[in-house]
Amino acid sequence: MSASQTSSSDVPADVPTLLVKIFGKDRPGITAGLFDTLAAYSVDVVDIEQVVTRGRMVLCALVTEPPPGLEGDLRATVHSWAESMRMQAEIISGLGDNRPRGLGRSLVTVLGHPLTAEATAAIASRITKTGGNIDRIFRLAKYPVTAVEFAVSGVETEPLRTALVTDAARLGIDVAVVAAGLYRRAQRLVVMDVDSTLIQDEVIELFAAHAGCEDKVAEVTAAAMRGELDFEQSLHARVALLEGLDASVVDKVRSDVRLTPGARTLIRTLKRLGYQVGVVSGGFTQVTDDLKERLGLDFAHANTLEIVDGRLTGKVTGEIVDRAGKARLLRRFAAEAGVPLSQTVAIGDGANDLDMLNAAGLGVAFNAKPVVREAAHAAVNFPFLDTVLYLLGVTREEVEAADTLDIV
């Protein structure tokens, strides 16, 4: 029986208890029938857990010992009832409640497509080798990926994350390790990068395609990647190549933008669950403002292309949104939303997202470069943005249920 369950009473370690286990084909009325049977013996319920997998139920009830002389009758009655329900029963004597969980509690979310037995064995083995104990396992989703959550105790979150990330890369799965507790449930602001995160494109490249200067923009980008230019220098150099472009191209670029698969589902679900959602971008407000309106975002901030007399001037106006700027904007959005930083989530793919990912309560690297994956709290390497919901403990069933709510 899972040590993660909460006891209804504080049972001393030396008090006799019975673990009653019922297993067989699931059907309505099994749980009520078992406790109706036990009620005749004046036992108290200490703990309960029920699991149903492919139509087969395992129901465990930890109860106090019945009054003297009645245990044998209780056992016979439970077995007889189980047989009448075409179930099997097992009753084990013992003392007290579940053993206390060890210090250090984490939630390990494993994503696989598919999730193989080899990968599952490796993750479970690594948890054990770090000194952790698996208290509970729960499937969050079966599509578009298989997502399983392990509740682990006995080891601190950071060393557990370090140990599992290495195995994840080798096994071709994603593993996210976060501290268990109230903060995970209280996260109420999600802020995303735009290019190659919320959308599949790089906006500057879309503009460059219309200006016929894709190769030159790519050269500047490559120089920045080699460390020859910082972000602000590369931004000014690339935008300068757009000088003279007719402003009508903005509408064309907006229509060219392709949302990342799962983006609408992620945002729609977060909004319906009461989250606020924002974007920050080293791209341009001419696109992010449109995305904010189309997707119902609460916050959006980016650089702004200067337009004079109907043409791009090749300059940007206002404060530059760079690596440090994204982190500042996360803090600003959190303050405006009335949400502590510890209750924020940031999602991004590039090195210029690192400050933001580190500042957030949970930083998620989405299809990111290795340096970003290694530095973030969690990483998702599947091309579906809505898989981030599983890192927040949201199940696929809850995603689908949210779609039935009559709210925007």
Side-chain angles (χ1 to χ4, degrees):
M1 172 159 265
S2 168
S4 66
Q5 301 301 297
T6 302
S7 301
S8 62
S9 58
D10 187 10
V11 177
D14 59 350
V15 170
T17 51
L18 299 176
L19 175 58
V20 181
K21 182 168 73 171
I22 305 296
F23 48 99
K25 185 178 180 181
D26 184 33
R27 64 178 68 85
I30 298 296
T31 305
L34 172 62
F35 286 99
D36 276 343
T37 302
L38 293 173
Y41 296 91
S42 301
V43 297
D44 294 330
V45 177
V46 179
D47 198 357
I48 309 171
E49 184 156 352
Q50 179 174 307
V51 176
V52 178
T53 304
R54 209 183 66 181
R56 308 295 291 184
M57 166 197 276
V58 177
L59 169 61
C60 292
L62 185 64
V63 299
T64 56
E65 190 180 54
L70 294 181
E71 182 178 335
D73 190 51
L74 179 150
R75 287 174 176 270
T77 302
V78 168
H79 280 284
S80 177
W81 168 82
E83 185 176 348
S84 73
M85 300 300 294
R86 299 190 298 280
M87 305 286 283
Q88 293 179 275
E90 181 180 6
I91 303 175
I92 303 172
S93 299
L95 295 175
D97 197 350
N98 304 303
R99 63 178 177 80
R101 294 179 63 186
L103 296 178
R105 300 181 184 181
S106 303
L107 296 172
V108 178
T109 305
V110 180
L111 309 179
H113 186 64
L115 179 60
T116 65
E118 177 191 7
T120 306
I123 293 300
S125 176
R126 180 64 66 185
I127 290 171
T128 300
K129 289 177 181 177
T130 62
N133 184 72
I134 299 172
D135 299 317
R136 188 170 185 263
I137 305 174
F138 177 72
R139 187 178 73 179
L140 295 167
K142 58 184 178 182
Y143 70 91
V145 299
T146 300
V148 179
E149 182 178 271
F150 294 74
V152 177
S153 62
V155 59
E156 294 299 329
T157 300
E158 287 304 322
L160 180 61
R161 178 186 294 127
T162 300
L164 292 178
V165 164
T166 301
D167 283 347
R170 175 176 58 82
L171 296 165
I173 59 175
D174 286 341
V175 176
V177 184
V178 299
L182 294 177
Y183 275 134
R184 191 207 196 191
R185 302 173 190 167
Q187 288 161 334
R188 283 293 176 262
L189 172 66
V190 175
V191 177
M192 288 176 277
D193 172 46
V194 176
D195 291 9
S196 299
T197 299
L198 178 62
I199 66 174
Q200 301 177 58
D201 312 283
E202 295 288 330
V203 170
I204 186 67
E205 294 177 1
L206 297 179
F207 275 100
H210 289 284
C213 59
E214 295 170 275
D215 291 343
K216 292 181 179 179
V217 165
E219 288 175 10
V220 176
T221 301
M225 294 294 288
R226 292 193 298 267
E228 298 169 8
L229 298 171
D230 64 20
F231 176 82
E232 185 170 347
Q233 290 173 320
S234 68
L235 175 67
H236 287 305
R238 286 178 291 179
V239 171
L241 296 170
L242 306 180
E243 182 180 0
L245 193 62
D246 193 281
S248 63
V249 79
V250 169
D251 289 333
K252 296 177 183 178
V253 168
R254 287 173 175 173
S255 65
D256 291 340
V257 166
R258 301 167 299 162
L259 292 174
T260 298
R264 287 187 183 277
T265 300
L266 172 67
I267 294 169
R268 182 174 64 244
T269 303
L270 290 172
K271 296 290 291 181
R272 288 174 172 173
L273 294 176
Y275 286 72
Q276 295 189 59
V277 184
V279 294
V280 292
S281 176
F284 310 111
T285 57
Q286 282 82 359
V287 171
T288 57
D289 287 351
D290 180 63
L291 289 170
K292 180 181 180 183
E293 182 178 351
R294 285 166 51 195
L295 300 174
L297 302 173
D298 300 284
F299 306 98
H301 201 94
N303 301 303
T304 298
L305 292 169
E306 183 181 63
I307 298 175
V308 176
D309 296 330
R311 292 190 177 278
L312 276 64
T313 66
K315 300 177 181 179
V316 292
T317 63
E319 181 184 6
I320 297 298
V321 179
D322 55 9
R323 175 170 170 167
K326 288 187 174 185
R328 286 196 301 270
L329 287 165
L330 170 68
R331 294 186 176 93
R332 183 191 305 175
F333 294 167
E336 292 178 13
V339 174
L341 273 178
S342 60
Q343 296 177 23
T344 63
V345 179
I347 309 169
D349 74 298
N352 64 334
D353 297 314
L354 277 173
D355 289 2
M356 176 177 72
L357 298 183
N358 290 331
L362 174 64
V364 180
F366 180 73
N367 289 322
K369 285 65 174 179
V371 66
V372 182
R373 291 200 303 268
E374 293 168 7
H377 301 120
V380 172
N381 295 303
F382 295 101
F384 310 106
L385 194 55
D386 54 337
T387 55
V388 172
L389 290 167
Y390 309 142
L391 308 186
L392 306 180
V394 179
T395 69
R396 193 72 209 181
E397 288 78 8
E398 289 170 328
V399 172
E400 294 169 355
D403 282 342
T404 68
L405 300 176
D406 295 327
I407 55 177
V408 178

